[in-house]
């Protein structure tokens, strides 16, 4: 298994600003993903964080709004840009090995945009 | 079709009961079916997972039953305890070997003492 940490755990931000969320895995993983979860709802995949190359975004999510970096096999960042109240949500990072599909999640970052 | 449909939305059982949560999928390319448990304020935790080559998998009090022909799978929690009260998500992966998980809508389980 993999242990995943995220920073910050929560934040309250002003409209129009940007926030970068960090995801750290305690071991090298071949897969890293970013999800969004509205309170009481299911998880929606934002993008696949690709090591050393541009992230692969799901329908409805764009790089200008959610730039992602993954410089190595244990670390990734997600930036929520030009935030609006609609971006208030829980953002979750996951990681795992493509060989067995097992994915482990971080504790999430609870974002509130005023 | 990439959806995974999960039911029921919520479930209340007495301690010792056996809650059953069901999921159905359409995409026959899916070949990995995990269940996650999520407590309030926490990230989802991988509970148990199954692949289509077996019809049942058991880990402790948690059992997955898998019906490949019906494209359905379910989670059974034996001897449920109040500490099992959480939200449970089924998921599916495997299409294109990208590792991407498609999640069901979630089931909120309450186990009464």
């Amino acid at each position: 298994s993999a242990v995943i940490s995220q920073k910050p755990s929560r934040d309250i931000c002003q409209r129009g600003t940007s926030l970068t969320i960090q995801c750290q895995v305690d071991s090298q993983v071949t897969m890293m993903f970013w999800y969004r979860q509205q309170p009481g709802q299911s998880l929606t995949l934002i993008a696949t964080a690709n090591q050393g190359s541009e992230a692969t975004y799901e329908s409805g999510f764009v790089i200008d709004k959610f730039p992602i970096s993954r410089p190595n096999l244990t670390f990734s960042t997600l930036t929520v840009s030009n935030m609006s109240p609609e971006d208030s949500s829980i953002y979750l990072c996951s990681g795992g090995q493509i060989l067995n599909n097992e994915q482990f999640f971080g504790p999430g970052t609870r974002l509130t945009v005023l | 079709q990439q959806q995974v449909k999960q039911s029921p939305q919520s479930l209340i059982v007495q301690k010792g009961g056996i809650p059953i949560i069901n999921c159905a999928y359409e995409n026959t390319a899916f070949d990995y079916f995990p269940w996650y448990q999520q407590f309030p304020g926490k990230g989802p935790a991988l509970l148990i997972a199954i692949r289509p080559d077996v019809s049942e998998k058991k880990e402790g009090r948690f059992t997955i039953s898998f019906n490949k022909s019906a494209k359905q799978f379910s989670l059974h929690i034996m001897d449920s305890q109040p500490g099992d009260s959480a939200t449970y998500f089924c998921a599916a992966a495997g299409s294109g070997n990208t590792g991407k998980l498609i999640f069901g809508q979630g089931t909120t389980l309450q186990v009464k003492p």
Side-chain angles (χ1 to χ4, degrees), chain B:
Chain B
Q1 182 64 283
Q2 292 292 315
Q3 287 184 337
V4 177
K5 295 182 180 179
Q6 183 173 345
S7 63
Q9 184 176 356
S10 63
L11 190 54
I12 301 174
V13 300
Q14 293 293 133
K15 178 182 174 181
I18 305 176
I20 301 173
I21 305 170
N22 301 297
C23 285
Y25 64 98
E26 290 293 326
N27 190 341
T28 55
F30 288 150
D31 62 2
Y32 174 71
F33 303 90
W35 285 90
Y36 284 85
Q37 179 189 57
Q38 186 177 32
F39 293 104
K42 305 292 185 183
L46 181 60
L47 201 56
I48 186 174
I50 198 168
R51 295 191 183 274
D53 53 344
V54 297
S55 60
E56 185 175 280
K57 183 175 181 180
K58 183 177 181 179
E59 287 186 4
R61 295 184 294 107
F62 300 93
T63 299
I64 299 179
S65 296
F66 187 83
N67 186 330
K68 187 175 181 178
S69 60
K71 292 184 284 187
Q72 295 176 347
F73 58 109
S74 59
L75 176 70
H76 303 233
I77 306 175
M78 307 302 175
D79 186 27
S80 59
Q81 302 296 313
D84 296 327
S85 298
T87 300
Y88 293 82
F89 293 97
C90 65
S95 178
N97 200 32
T98 63
K100 294 193 296 186
L101 288 173
I102 308 299
F103 280 87
Q105 295 80 1
T107 297
T108 301
L109 171 65
Q110 181 182 357
V111 181
K112 290 189 171 182

Side-chain angles (χ1 to χ4, degrees), chain A residues 37 42 45 58 100-101 103 106, chain B residues 32 36 38 43 51 99-100 104:
Chain A
Q37 184 180 31
S42 187
L45 180 64
E58 298 300 304
N100 61 19
N101 283 117
Q103 262 186 63
Chain B
Y32 174 71
Y36 284 85
Q38 186 177 32
R51 295 191 183 274
K100 294 193 296 186

Side-chain angles (χ1 to χ4, degrees), chain A residues 49-86:
Chain A
N50 299 309
Q51 192 256 330
S53 64
E54 190 172 287
T56 304
Y57 290 85
E58 298 300 304
S59 177
F61 298 96
V62 294
I63 187 171
D64 290 345
K65 177 67 176 177
F66 298 101
I68 290 170
S69 78
R70 189 181 171 193
N72 56 51
L73 293 177
T74 63
F75 185 79
S76 179
T77 65
L78 168 74
T79 299
V80 186
S81 304
N82 188 24
M83 288 184 285
S84 66
E86 291 71 35

